[in-house]
């Protein structure tokens, strides 16, 4: 595991198209902003685990949009 130190406002870039930004640090809580292409699924660990164990879980909005070609907000 690569461990990096960042301050609020600083970023980490992954593979040139994913950006992680430290938004704020308050006590033991860190807020992270994530910019990634729509095809990259980004979940909190507990949501990821739930998706892995529940095949009936709703698909990621990207896949719904791909299938219908209509953004969810426009429905």
């Amino acid at each position: 595991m690569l461990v990096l130190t960042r301050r609020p406002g600083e970023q980490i870039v992954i593979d040139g198209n994913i950006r992680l930004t430290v938004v704020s640090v308050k006590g033991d809580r860190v807020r992270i902003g994530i910019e990634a292409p729509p095809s990259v699924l980004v979940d909190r660990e507990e949501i990821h685990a739930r998706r892995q164990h529940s095949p009936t879980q709703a698909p990621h909005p990207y896949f719904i949009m791909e299938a219908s070609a209509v953004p969810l907000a426009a429905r």
Side-chain angles (χ1 to χ4, degrees):
M1 173 188 306
L2 173 65
V3 178
L4 302 172
T5 302
R6 302 276 72 200
R7 291 186 171 101
E10 294 181 335
Q11 296 183 334
I12 296 169
V13 178
I14 301 171
D15 200 29
N17 63 348
I18 300 171
R19 291 183 179 273
L20 305 175
T21 304
V22 177
V23 176
S24 67
V25 178
K26 293 181 182 178
D28 64 346
R29 308 284 289 192
V30 178
R31 294 185 68 205
I32 299 172
I34 303 168
E35 296 175 55
S39 60
V40 175
L41 183 61
V42 178
D43 280 327
R44 295 186 327 250
E45 182 180 21
E46 61 273 17
I47 301 298
H48 174 75
R50 196 176 310 147
R51 285 184 195 277
Q52 297 299 311
H53 291 74
S54 177
T56 59
Q57 177 91 15
H60 185 269
Y62 169 76
F63 298 108
I64 295 170
M65 191 167 70
E66 276 290 299
S68 66
V70 176
L72 291 176
R75 292 186 189 175

